[in-house]
Amino acid sequence: MEVGIFKGLLGRLGVGRLGRNALLSTIGLAIRAVVQAGYLLVLSHWMGASGYGLFAGSVAAATLISPLSGWGIAVVLTQRVARTPSESKGAWAEAILQVLTTGTALVCLLMLGVSLVLPGHIDYPSMGLLALSELVALPLAQVATGLCIALDRGAAGAVCMCLVPVSRLLCVVAGLLLGVEGTPTHVARLHFGGSVIGALVAYGVIVSISGLPSWRRRLPMRATLRDGSRYAVGNLVSTSYLEVDKVLLLQMLGATVAGTYTAAFRVMSVFVLPVSALIGAALPRLFAQHGSPAGSRTLIIVTLSGLGYAVMAALLAVLVSPWMPRVFGASFEESSHYLLLLAPWTVLYALHQAAATGLTAFDRQMSRVCIEALGFVLIIVLNLLLDSRMGAAGAAWSLLATEVFMAGCCWWFLRKANLSPPRPVQG
């Protein structure tokens, strides 16, 4: 009843489906942002800069390959259900099976390679729990969020996107209140427990909306793996570049430096969440409008709105930067400097993500993959060259330079393909 009243009110205000879902996603991400900020605050005080740096760097190692979990099934599901909502049950079954299969394989791969590549990680059992959290549990909740949005259930999608972070925070707070020692090993167990609980509740939300998954109506996995290949590789290079610098800092400069920089970046990530919400809500609409002038108009609206959010986020970062050591503890004093360096990233991120999403929706995914693969290589090279000379500031400058490169290339490819929105007629 309340949802219907909400839709009616927004309709009278001239807000359509895209705006409504973007608003609901923004509300969900705002709640998630508060929760993630609370999670960061609890962990930073409980573990200190060094302990948090070791934990965060180990999580980042799993996050690096997490876009491969599901092998692009989230985008395939969104594309399929946005065009044919009646296929949601079969698509949901496909997603569950594909995430479980590919996620488990990635966990095994990570555990085999971690001793060779990442000598600075936490103990193996804890690393395994973190891998399961980031490669199986969280992707299942993310797929549930995408399915809700594709079904025009923005409120349910907002709930699903918050479930894993909320569950993680509750588990960590419970451990703290029970007197558990704040070591990376103990925190990893609590992190895993919260991830599993959140994923199970997200499954229940989808069942309440769409019913049980239909295993008979799902497509063969070879077909969904084939369709998702370009999105899997694209997701890997489009998101992992944001995590690889934390892993490199942990290995090159130690846990304390990695912890102070990661805290600043996580704060910036919270500030930029409305941009992610807007772009995520727009993707189903852009898929449906592929090949029509409306798609270009939607893209320009999304871009301008995203830039508006990004400018406000950058100003907010400047304002709160002096408060970093007061909020997170004296050991995070350097985080204030890193937050100032990262403030322009929000605008560059919005430009990059809007253009990259346009390439995906307008059937230019391979162009996006090539651009972001080059960006992934670029940020690694820049970190290797700058971090040893400039410390964590080198990671910040590397990120900014990489975003400039990717945003410029994505927009250039859009214009080359005559996909950029037309300029307004004067007069």
Side-chain angles (χ1 to χ4, degrees):
M1 179 67 177
E2 290 81 0
V3 175
I5 296 174
F6 180 74
K7 288 183 179 180
L9 176 61
L10 292 181
R12 287 192 294 271
L13 294 174
V15 179
R17 175 184 173 186
L18 175 59
R20 183 175 67 248
N21 284 336
L23 177 60
L24 289 169
S25 295
T26 300
I27 293 172
L29 283 174
I31 296 172
R32 195 177 80 176
V34 173
V35 172
Q36 289 178 332
Y39 194 60
L40 173 59
L41 186 61
V42 171
L43 291 185
S44 62
H45 281 280
W46 196 20
M47 305 178 75
S50 179
Y52 176 72
L54 180 58
F55 171 79
S58 300
V59 170
T63 305
L64 274 176
I65 59 173
S66 63
L68 294 178
S69 182
W71 201 252
I73 190 61
V75 182
V76 173
L77 178 148
T78 299
Q79 186 175 21
R80 180 180 171 188
V81 175
R83 294 173 178 173
T84 312
S86 60
E87 297 185 5
S88 61
K89 292 184 179 181
W92 178 230
E94 296 162 18
I96 294 174
L97 182 60
Q98 200 152 307
V99 169
L100 291 176
T101 303
T102 58
T104 302
L106 288 172
V107 170
C108 296
L109 180 63
L110 180 64
M111 297 307 295
L112 286 174
V114 74
S115 61
L116 300 175
V117 182
L118 299 172
H121 61 81
I122 60 180
D123 61 274
Y124 284 102
S126 300
M127 192 69 203
L129 293 178
L130 293 178
L132 287 169
S133 300
E134 305 303 319
L135 300 175
V136 178
L138 182 58
L140 282 172
Q142 291 171 337
V143 169
T145 301
L147 181 58
C148 289
I149 293 174
L151 289 171
D152 195 21
R153 303 296 292 269
V159 170
C160 285
M161 71 174 63
C162 297
L163 288 173
V164 170
V166 167
S167 299
R168 287 174 175 176
L169 177 60
L170 291 176
C171 286
V172 166
V173 170
L176 178 62
L177 295 176
L178 291 173
V180 177
E181 187 179 359
T183 64
T185 298
H186 291 148
V187 173
R189 295 171 184 171
L190 297 170
H191 186 85
F192 170 73
S195 301
V196 172
I197 293 171
L200 290 175
V201 177
Y203 175 85
V205 171
I206 296 299
V207 170
S208 68
I209 292 174
S210 182
L212 293 170
S214 177
W215 301 99
R216 293 182 178 180
R217 295 173 60 184
R218 67 181 180 86
L219 295 175
M221 184 176 289
R222 63 180 180 273
T224 55
L225 287 172
R226 181 189 64 245
D227 293 341
S229 293
R230 57 179 179 169
Y231 299 121
V233 178
N235 289 340
L236 177 65
V237 296
S238 67
T239 59
S240 294
Y241 79 96
L242 295 174
E243 299 297 332
V244 68
D245 51 359
K246 288 81 174 170
V247 178
L248 292 173
L249 284 174
L250 178 61
Q251 304 307 312
M252 297 172 63
L253 301 178
T256 300
V257 174
T260 53
Y261 176 78
T262 301
F265 180 80
R266 296 300 178 218
V267 171
M268 290 304 305
S269 299
V270 168
F271 291 161
V272 84
L273 281 175
V275 177
S276 302
L278 179 65
I279 292 173
L283 184 58
R285 172 69 64 87
L286 289 170
F287 272 134
Q289 294 176 340
H290 171 46
S292 69
S296 293
R297 290 194 294 270
T298 299
L299 180 59
I300 196 61
I301 292 171
V302 169
T303 302
L304 294 176
S305 300
L307 286 175
Y309 282 128
V311 170
M312 290 188 291
L315 293 175
L316 183 60
V318 173
L319 292 175
V320 305
S321 60
W323 293 85
M324 292 293 288
R326 300 182 185 182
V327 174
F328 296 106
S331 59
F332 289 86
E333 184 175 358
E334 286 296 316
S335 298
S336 296
H337 175 58
Y338 303 145
L339 193 62
L340 284 174
L341 287 177
L342 289 170
W345 171 69
T346 59
V347 175
L348 299 173
Y349 176 81
L351 285 170
H352 164 211
Q353 291 301 319
T357 301
L359 289 173
T360 296
F362 299 153
D363 202 23
R364 296 296 189 275
Q365 177 67 10
M366 288 310 300
S367 297
R368 175 178 182 173
V369 170
C370 292
I371 293 168
E372 293 179 332
L374 290 174
F376 183 72
V377 173
L378 177 61
I379 198 170
I380 292 175
V381 172
L382 290 176
N383 272 274
L384 292 175
L385 292 175
L386 298 179
D387 290 359
S388 58
R389 301 177 182 179
M390 303 175 62
W397 286 112
S398 299
L399 178 60
L400 295 176
T402 302
E403 290 286 12
V404 170
F405 168 78
M406 291 192 291
C409 289
C410 285
W411 279 109
W412 185 82
F413 268 84
L414 276 177
R415 293 189 65 85
K416 183 180 178 181
N418 294 320
L419 294 172
S420 57
R423 296 182 180 179
V425 179
Q426 299 296 326

